[in-house]
Amino acid sequence: MTMTNQTADRFKPFGTTIFAEMSRLAAGHNAVNLSQGFPDFDGPAFVKQAAIDAINQGHNQYARSPGEPVLVEQLATRFETRTGIGVDPLAQITVTSGCTEAIAATLLGIINPGDEVILFEPYYDSYRACIAMAQGTPRFVSMKPTAGRFTFDIDDLKAACTNRTKAILVNTPHNPTGTMFTREELTQIADLCKQHNTIAISDEVYEDLIFDRQHISIASLPGMSGRTITLSSLGKSFSLTGWKVGWAIASPELTNAIRSSHQFLTYATATPFQHAAAVALSEGDEYIGKLKSRYSTARDMLAGELDALGFGVIIPEGTYFILAEHSAISSKLGVDNDIDLALKLTADFGVTTIPPSVFCETKDLCANYLRFAFCKEEATLVEAIRRLQKLND
Ligand code: GLN
């Protein structure tokens, strides 16, 4: 039998995720990879040692499905310190294989066919694929550059809310724009959640990578703790993206929904890494402080250099990404969109970025931008800039 395309229809629109695609392309061209967001330096020694110790101590069988007690207790403490909300660690926290599984478990756990989920575009690509897996319907609210940062118009958000709206998916700090929602913006979203009896799903994986603003969890706003699912992970804060330890924090009722799918997706997450994650969270403040200042320096350096090259840089308030407007560069190179420019910069200049239009339903919303990751060694960033200087030859 000849095998034609065997991919299920629901995945066909999504192809291969842009992160795998661009990292593969970068490797093929020996390009400096500023596309997929992962550090090119290692995580902290004390956390790595804690994982080795956990393995040697025999923490090697299945973990408790919703998460090892030692980790969920740390997470409850951390969440209360950050948001003021006390949670029952055993009934309200679910440890997942990275935040990516937390997103999938959440959406599969709460959505019925036809339920609508509001996404702010540009949106992280797995949100949309998971809504499709759950047979939900995405609705889009555009974030546009306004006074130097990307944000939404409240009237657009109001217009997107219907009686089918099951959830509004918030991501702050926001990938790829670097926007951190203000208290005022989050209050507008929260008011609509309450008015429409809707759940807020809040992806906060970049919560520690912040520069100018205070990070605010929408769960901490009045009337929101019972209707918010807060998602985060270890990877970005501890430069250990390959460990894939994430979590979801929510009311017991919402947690039951998340666990109904989590138990069949992965059942549990790697046991020794959960033990090491508990150590990271209890002893990690100093590391996170240093990482923040390292990223702040890298952000300023890359932003300044991209600006000098002729990009229109949006200075990120958080995350380790810079979105940069490229029309001056692309017109010089004779291309007219982000995908063609990203391919050309990889092939001809040896620098790989992410074309953010792949995160948009409204295709021209981000077609004039490229996303640069700055979670890299200084030497890596310097080499990328050196290569891009050929633009001005
Ligand atoms: N979150 C990372 C990024 O935006 C990628 C994660 C992944 O590759 N799945 O680059």
Side-chain angles (χ1 to χ4, degrees):
M1 167 178 146
T2 322
M3 286 284 195
T4 49
N5 187 346
Q6 294 299 300
T7 305
D9 292 343
R10 64 183 169 279
F11 288 111
K12 282 194 183 129
F14 304 115
T16 305
T17 164
I18 191 72
F19 304 112
E21 197 77 62
M22 295 314 286
S23 280
R24 186 186 56 79
L25 211 62
H29 285 87
N30 237 329
V32 179
N33 187 1
L34 304 187
S35 64
Q36 195 177 22
F38 63 89
D40 65 350
F41 50 88
D42 208 357
F46 78 96
V47 187
K48 293 195 294 178
Q49 190 57 49
I52 294 164
D53 292 345
I55 290 172
N56 286 332
Q57 284 157 12
H59 293 295
N60 298 309
Q61 306 308 328
Y62 296 127
R64 172 179 170 265
S65 170
E68 286 291 272
V70 61
L71 176 54
V72 291
E73 275 157 27
Q74 275 301 326
L75 286 168
T77 306
R78 175 180 175 278
F79 192 65
E80 182 160 11
T81 310
R82 293 181 177 210
T83 63
I85 303 165
V87 290
D88 175 346
L90 297 178
Q92 294 187 249
I93 300 180
T94 309
V95 175
T96 54
S97 290
C99 190
T100 301
E101 196 224 334
I103 293 161
T106 295
L107 292 167
L108 289 168
I110 66 169
I111 288 178
N112 284 309
D115 284 349
E116 295 177 359
V117 179
I118 296 179
L119 298 181
F120 292 95
E121 60 171 345
Y123 53 80
Y124 184 58
D125 66 346
S126 88
Y127 302 158
R128 191 167 183 181
C130 289
I131 293 168
M133 282 190 241
Q135 295 179 272
T137 305
R139 292 186 67 100
F140 303 95
V141 172
S142 298
M143 292 170 71
K144 296 178 190 149
T146 321
R149 65 193 279 276
F150 272 72
T151 192
F152 63 92
D153 183 329
I154 184 63
D155 291 331
D156 294 343
L157 184 58
K158 281 184 186 155
C161 289
T162 73
N163 57 7
R164 303 298 317 254
T165 307
K166 179 77 182 189
I168 301 179
L169 206 167
V170 177
N171 170 215
T172 183
H174 182 258
N175 175 12
T177 65
T179 293
M180 294 177 66
F181 285 135
T182 62
R183 185 170 298 277
E184 195 190 353
E185 289 163 336
L186 290 171
T187 300
Q188 291 177 325
I189 298 169
D191 287 348
L192 285 170
C193 287
K194 287 181 272 186
Q195 196 180 320
H196 291 271
N197 197 20
T198 288
I199 297 164
I201 303 170
S202 186
D203 173 351
E204 303 180 13
V205 292
Y206 298 98
E207 65 187 303
D208 286 318
L209 309 187
I210 60 179
F211 309 111
D212 308 316
R213 263 184 216 285
Q214 186 96 13
H215 170 71
I216 302 168
S217 293
I218 194 167
S220 68
L221 299 189
M224 288 305 290
S225 66
R227 60 170 71 252
T228 302
I229 300 170
T230 305
L231 311 177
S232 194
S233 74
L234 191 77
K236 279 76 177 168
S237 303
F238 288 92
S239 316
L240 294 164
T241 60
W243 282 23
K244 302 295 291 174
V245 177
W247 51 82
I249 304 179
S251 68
E253 296 72 24
L254 287 171
T255 296
N256 284 341
I258 296 163
R259 290 179 183 177
S260 66
S261 58
H262 163 72
Q263 63 181 337
F264 296 124
L265 284 171
T266 56
Y267 181 75
T269 293
T271 312
F273 291 135
Q274 293 197 42
H275 284 260
V279 172
L281 296 175
S282 75
E283 296 167 26
D285 288 350
E286 190 188 331
Y287 177 79
I288 290 172
K290 285 190 185 140
L291 189 69
K292 244 190 250 189
S293 85
R294 169 184 191 146
Y295 282 152
S296 169
T297 306
R299 174 192 74 156
D300 293 347
M301 189 276 254
L302 186 61
E305 297 288 353
L306 291 174
D307 182 74
L309 285 167
F311 286 96
V313 173
I314 304 276
I315 303 285
E317 297 161 339
T319 76
Y320 44 43
F321 305 116
I322 288 178
L323 216 50
E325 209 274 346
H326 62 65
S327 49
I329 309 293
S330 45
S331 55
K332 194 186 289 187
L333 296 177
V335 292
D336 66 357
N337 66 72
D338 58 337
I339 296 176
D340 289 347
L341 182 61
L343 295 175
K344 196 165 182 64
L345 290 184
T346 300
D348 298 353
F349 293 81
V351 176
T352 306
T353 58
I354 292 283
S357 65
V358 301
F359 305 140
C360 296
E361 170 75 3
T362 312
K363 279 300 163 209
D364 56 3
L365 186 65
C366 283
N368 287 337
Y369 292 85
L370 284 180
R371 192 194 80 172
F372 293 80
F374 57 85
C375 44
K376 306 292 172 184
E377 294 279 13
E378 191 186 346
T380 309
L381 298 175
V382 167
E383 176 59 16
I385 293 300
R386 191 190 67 76
R387 294 181 181 200
L388 290 175
Q389 259 143 12
K390 268 205 307 178
L391 284 165
N392 290 335
D393 285 352

